[in-house]
């Protein structure tokens, strides 16, 4: 009999114990999937804003750290950038945080009164350049250029904002806030203790970086934040057709003073992911959680396999008495561990798909099941179970045929 057939016979012989062991593996698989999903969500939310912006090169202050510490630079740097031959335009973008008055909400568990102050993020662009500042299409901030143009016209009105329609529910729905802005309700829209107007929506998304986002014109932004008009946070540099990105980057770095930095999209995204995954407590915690999930799985599977081997020592001793070598028994145990890995991975994968959907639709965390994640967890599961098998195989080698007599 081959080691694989004997291993399967062992699992089929005691189906209840096999089901418990496979359930333990599935639990560990779900833990690993969720930690990796959250870790991937951190990486995706780190670049979510930049992924919706239209630029070839990105200008920041030399003191820029992350979105919570952007620092401003003189608007004149954008005029200097436009003077470079390869540059078609440089669109200013401002970013800040604010205090948003939560509206009254009615949900399945009753009415939640408004009035509490929520932290909200704000971005601002010139109203006439809305369609140039953002990417358009199904994955963009606006579906079409016409929608972006209409948004720009709405933002041209003083004190008008667009709300990200993917913001958390506690910020209110777009329809509710538009009605409140028009005076149809007694629940006013307030931002930084000032009366504001919600004129429509755009699409961005939420995650670990922010729970809600507003878009406004630069004039409105300055009124609500007190930011001087001659300072901006970012510059969206768009190059002429056919221009070499790296050559333009080198030229801009040579032309612009050292108080700003020029990034390619790849450099910017890599820096943001590095900050969130390696330098924040969220990223570090999730990495440790993945390691702990694997360790828990190894311990659980080892205990189950050790108990199973202990109960079947007479059978293993019989196999040894029939002349099978220790290497054969090792292969049997490893095959059994591999089969447990497959039996536990399948339900764990299905459960993770459902949990990813819940986290994405109700938690606002962009978890995504990718081929890399699915294959990586499968490899981890196999490694976890095989490691448990190697730890448990010593008990098989200790089986003495003399104990049968």
């Amino acid at each position: 009999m081959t080691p694989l057939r004997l291993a399967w016979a062992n699992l089929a012989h005691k189906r209840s114990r096999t089901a418990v062991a496979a359930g333990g593996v599935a639990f560990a698989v779900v833990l690993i999937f969720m930690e990796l999903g959250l870790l991937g969500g951190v990486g995706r939310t780190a670049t979510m804003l930049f992924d919706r912006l239209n630029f070839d090169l990105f200008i920041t202050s030399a003191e820029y750290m992350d979105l919570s510490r952007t620092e401003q630079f003189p608007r004149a740097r954008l005029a200097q950038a436009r003077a470079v031959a390869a540059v078609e335009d440089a669109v200013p973008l401002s970013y800040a945080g604010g205090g948003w008055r939560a509206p009254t909400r009615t949900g399945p568990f009753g009415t939640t009164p408004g009035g509490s102050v929520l932290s909200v993020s704000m971005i601002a662009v010139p109203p006439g350049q809305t369609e140039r500042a953002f990417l358009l299409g199904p994955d963009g901030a606006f579906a079409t250029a016409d929608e972006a143009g209409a948004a720009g016209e709405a933002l041209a009105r003083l004190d008008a904002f667009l709300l990200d329609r993917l913001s958390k529910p506690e910020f209110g729905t777009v329809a509710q806030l538009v009605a409140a802005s028009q005076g149809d309700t007694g629940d006013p829209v307030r931002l930084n203790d000032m009366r504001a107007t919600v004129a429509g929506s755009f699409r961005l998304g939420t995650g670990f970086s922010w729970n809600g986002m507003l878009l406004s014109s630069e004039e409105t932004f300055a009124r609500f934040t007190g930011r001087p008009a001659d300072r901006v946070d970012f510059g969206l540099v768009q190059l002429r057709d056919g221009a070499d990105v790296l050559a333009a980057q080198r030229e801009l770095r040579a032309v612009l003073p050292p108080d700003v930095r020029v990034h390619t999209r790849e450099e910017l995204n890599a820096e943001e992911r590095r900050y969130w995954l390696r330098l924040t407590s969220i990223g570090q915690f999730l990495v440790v959680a993945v390691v702990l999930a694997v360790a828990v799985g190894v311990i659980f599977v080892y205990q189950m396999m050790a108990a199973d081997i202990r109960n079947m020592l007479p059978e293993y001793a019989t196999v040894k008495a029939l002349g099978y070598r220790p290497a054969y028994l090792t292969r049997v145990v490893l095959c059994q561990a591999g089969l447990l890995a497959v039996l536990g991975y399948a339900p764990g994968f299905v459960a993770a798909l459902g949990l990813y959907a819940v986290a994405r639709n109700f938690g606002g965390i962009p978890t995504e099941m990718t081929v890399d994640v699915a294959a990586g967890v499968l490899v981890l599961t196999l490694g976890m179970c095989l490691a448990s098998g190697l730890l448990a195989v010593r008990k098989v080698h200790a089986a003495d045929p003399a104990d049968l007599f």
Side-chain angles (χ1 to χ4, degrees):
M1 180 179 288
T2 65
L4 181 61
R5 288 186 61 188
L6 181 56
W8 178 253
N10 287 342
L11 293 175
H13 178 63
K14 295 184 177 180
R15 296 179 182 178
S16 59
R17 180 178 291 277
T18 299
V20 172
V25 175
F27 179 73
V29 167
V30 170
L31 283 179
I32 297 171
F33 264 124
M34 291 309 300
E35 303 304 342
L36 287 177
L38 294 174
L39 196 62
V42 171
R44 277 184 284 277
T45 57
T47 63
M48 185 175 291
L49 173 60
F50 307 127
D51 291 341
R52 299 286 192 271
L53 298 176
N54 179 28
F55 65 89
D56 297 301
L57 293 169
F58 197 81
I59 299 177
T60 68
S61 166
E63 299 178 2
Y64 172 81
M65 297 293 292
D66 61 88
L67 281 176
S68 64
R69 294 167 292 181
T70 59
E71 302 301 332
Q72 298 85 49
F73 60 87
R75 184 182 293 268
R77 300 292 176 263
L78 302 184
Q80 293 174 277
R82 294 188 192 100
V84 174
V87 174
E88 181 178 346
D89 200 1
V91 179
L93 180 79
S94 298
Y95 180 92
W100 177 260
R101 179 190 178 277
T104 300
R105 292 190 300 121
T106 301
F109 301 103
T111 300
T112 303
S116 61
V117 179
L118 306 173
S119 176
V120 69
S121 295
M122 298 181 285
I123 52 177
V125 295
Q129 294 185 294
T130 307
E131 60 269 33
R132 292 189 61 86
F134 295 95
L135 293 176
L136 308 177
D139 297 325
F142 300 99
T144 64
D146 290 340
E147 182 183 338
E153 293 177 4
L155 293 179
R157 300 195 299 270
L158 194 61
D159 299 345
F161 292 87
L162 302 183
L163 175 70
D164 176 16
R165 53 182 172 269
L166 299 180
S167 295
K168 295 293 181 66
E170 55 263 31
F171 288 87
T173 65
V174 174
Q176 173 191 11
L177 296 171
V178 169
S181 301
Q182 295 171 347
D184 295 342
T185 68
D187 202 13
V189 178
R190 299 190 68 84
L191 174 66
N192 289 349
D193 292 327
M194 298 173 61
R195 187 69 179 261
T197 298
V198 174
S201 68
F202 68 112
R203 182 180 182 276
L204 184 61
T206 63
F208 293 95
S209 302
W210 61 81
N211 293 324
M213 182 71 76
L214 297 169
L215 172 62
S216 73
S217 68
E218 291 185 305
E219 185 178 2
T220 297
F221 183 87
R223 272 175 49 82
F224 279 80
T225 63
R227 181 78 59 81
D230 63 342
R231 309 284 292 183
V232 297
D233 292 272
F234 306 122
L236 311 179
V237 178
Q238 296 152 7
L239 303 180
R240 301 187 188 278
D241 292 341
D244 182 86
V245 174
L246 296 181
Q249 182 187 35
R250 288 193 294 269
E251 188 172 359
L252 282 170
R253 285 176 172 175
V255 169
L256 297 176
D259 60 349
V260 295
R261 288 187 290 166
V262 183
H263 314 259
T264 64
R265 185 179 291 274
E266 292 74 19
E267 290 172 348
L268 183 66
N269 287 347
E271 290 176 9
E272 289 295 318
R273 291 192 184 100
R274 174 183 174 275
Y275 169 76
W276 277 97
L277 295 177
R278 297 185 182 181
L279 302 180
T280 66
S281 57
I282 294 176
Q284 294 170 356
F285 170 80
L286 291 175
V287 170
V288 172
V290 171
V291 175
L292 289 177
V294 174
V296 168
V298 169
I299 294 170
F300 183 88
V301 176
Y302 167 74
Q303 290 177 334
M304 294 300 300
M305 292 194 69
D308 184 67
I309 290 170
R310 188 166 51 250
N311 293 331
M312 299 184 68
L313 278 179
E315 288 84 350
Y316 283 115
T318 301
V319 172
K320 291 179 71 174
L322 292 174
Y324 287 94
R325 308 297 297 171
Y328 174 84
L329 297 177
T330 299
R331 290 196 295 271
V332 171
V333 173
L334 293 181
C335 286
Q336 188 170 332
L339 289 171
L340 275 178
V342 174
L343 292 174
Y345 178 83
F349 175 79
V350 174
L353 286 176
L355 292 173
Y356 275 20
V358 171
R360 187 168 53 249
N361 296 327
F362 298 99
I365 302 171
T367 51
E368 182 179 347
M369 182 64 73
T370 64
V371 174
D372 290 342
V373 170
V377 174
L378 178 58
V379 171
L380 282 175
T381 305
L382 287 170
M384 175 180 70
C385 291
L386 292 176
S388 301
L390 288 173
L391 291 173
V393 76
R394 293 173 301 172
K395 295 184 178 295
V396 174
H397 293 164
D400 189 354
D403 294 338
L404 298 172
F405 306 102

